[in-house]
């Protein structure tokens, strides 16, 4: 059985989708060892508990520096010895020391077609720039914010609506479908990080192209 740890800061809808994907066998032979949240008021904590998941709160405000927080987080992760660390709406920049320690073992999902729009407010930026397409990127995490090697991208056509909340919901649908599939592929070594970038076994080479979603 493989072990994953989820790191969250907010509503945890990706966490719920990942748990469901484990339950129905989309992510195979895997258990969630713990959900760690840095934000005590996050609504995702109760959702995790309702799903029967073990939770831990590690409030970043209790630490004098980013490095000290990251060190404690790394120590906690080591206790669980996870095969993969999944950032699922984890709103913290991770230090270089941390990302180097877990190289190739941390995945993130970002709500834009990177390298477009790293950082926050991606839906608003896509709408403001009158983009025709918008989407999500799943990538390995390195020291660069939203900058690690890309694994997969899912995209939609924006259409006429200028409503960023509606767009956010459509993007979430892509996330909830694509993230579990990629987690399964990485945990079973069908996709992995190599010195020359992301490596795909034949069964996963369709992820080299962006995946279109009619959502
Ligand atoms: C998602 O849009 C994800 O791409 C970004 O943070 C958001 C988290 O949403 N990194 P949720 O907490 O999983 O609902």
């Amino acid at each position: 059985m493989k072990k994953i740890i989820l790191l969250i800061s907010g509503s945890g809808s990706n966490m719920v989708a990942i748990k469901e994907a484990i339950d129905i066998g989309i992510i195979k032979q895997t258990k969630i060892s713990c959900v760690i949240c840095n934000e005590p008021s996050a609504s995702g904590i109760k959702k995790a508990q309702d799903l029967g998941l073990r939770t831990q709160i590690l409030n970043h405000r209790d630490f004098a520096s980013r490095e000290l927080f990251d060190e404690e987080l790394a120590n906690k992760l080591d206790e669980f010895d996870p095969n993969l660390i999944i950032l699922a709406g984890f709103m913290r920049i991770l230090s270089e020391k941390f990302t180097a320690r877990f190289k190739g073992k941390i995945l993130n999902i970002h709500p834009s077609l990177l390298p477009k729009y790293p950082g926050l407010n991606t839906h608003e930026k896509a709408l403001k720039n009158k983009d025709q397409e918008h989407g999500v990127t799943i990538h390995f995490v390195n020291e660069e914010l939203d900058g690690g090697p890309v694994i997969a991208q899912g995209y939609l056509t924006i259409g006429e609506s200028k409503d960023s909340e509606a767009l956010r919901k459509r993007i979430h649908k892509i996330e909830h479908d694509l993230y579990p599939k990629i987690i399964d592929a990485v945990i079973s070594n069908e996709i992995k990080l190599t010195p020359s970038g992301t490596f795909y076994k034949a069964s996963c080479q369709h992820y080299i192209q962006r995946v279109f979603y009619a959502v």
Side-chain angles (χ1 to χ4, degrees):
M1 191 67 105
K2 302 277 175 70
K3 294 181 282 183
I4 60 176
I5 301 270
L6 306 187
L7 303 187
I8 68 167
S9 303
S11 75
S13 72
N14 279 283
M15 169 195 71
V16 174
I18 292 164
K19 168 75 168 102
E20 281 171 8
I22 289 174
D23 291 346
I24 63 176
I26 290 172
I27 303 173
K28 292 171 278 302
Q29 299 289 321
T30 299
K31 70 170 191 177
I32 299 171
S33 300
C34 193
V35 176
I36 300 178
C37 182
N38 68 303
E39 181 50 73
S41 63
S43 59
I45 298 169
K46 177 157 190 321
K47 283 186 198 156
Q49 289 164 348
D50 289 347
L51 288 167
L53 298 173
R54 178 170 182 180
T55 57
Q56 286 196 14
I57 296 170
L58 194 62
N59 188 343
H60 57 277
R61 298 174 193 87
D62 294 341
F63 296 83
S65 69
R66 181 177 305 285
E67 285 67 29
L68 287 171
F69 171 80
D70 282 4
E71 205 174 300
E72 179 62 19
L73 180 60
N75 290 340
K76 276 200 182 301
L77 292 170
D78 280 343
E79 278 170 34
F80 291 105
D81 191 26
N83 299 88
L84 266 188
I85 298 154
I86 309 293
L87 309 189
F90 187 61
M91 304 303 284
R92 294 280 307 166
I93 295 173
L94 294 163
S95 59
E96 194 170 344
K97 194 171 164 200
F98 183 95
T99 56
R101 181 161 165 179
F102 298 103
K103 193 172 180 194
K105 287 179 74 172
I106 316 175
L107 304 189
N108 183 40
I109 188 161
H110 180 75
S112 80
L113 294 169
L114 292 168
K116 254 189 171 180
Y117 313 138
L120 299 173
N121 304 321
T122 58
H123 312 312
E124 289 76 7
K125 287 173 187 163
L127 289 172
K128 184 160 175 271
N129 290 337
K130 300 191 170 50
D131 290 353
Q132 311 229 314
E133 293 172 348
H134 186 41
V136 315
T137 303
I138 298 165
H139 63 95
F140 288 107
V141 172
N142 65 10
E143 68 289 349
E144 210 182 315
L145 177 66
D146 299 326
V150 169
I151 303 172
Q153 293 187 310
Y155 74 105
L156 50 68
T157 46
I158 291 186
E160 295 307 308
S161 169
K162 294 281 166 275
D163 179 349
S164 65
E165 184 53 25
L167 184 55
R168 191 185 66 78
K169 285 189 182 146
R170 293 174 67 205
I171 287 291
H172 257 134
K173 285 189 184 159
I174 301 180
E175 296 188 335
H176 299 164
D177 182 77
L178 191 57
Y179 210 9
K181 290 175 180 165
I182 296 300
I183 291 168
D184 182 64
V186 176
I187 211 149
S188 56
N189 273 321
E190 287 167 70
I191 297 177
K192 60 184 167 192
L193 183 65
T194 70
S196 52
T198 307
F199 167 82
Y200 302 81
K201 283 200 176 155
S203 57
C204 287
Q205 287 192 351
H206 53 286
Y207 290 123
I208 296 171
Q209 311 288 332
R210 302 185 315 171
V211 184
F212 176 68
Y213 280 83
V215 289

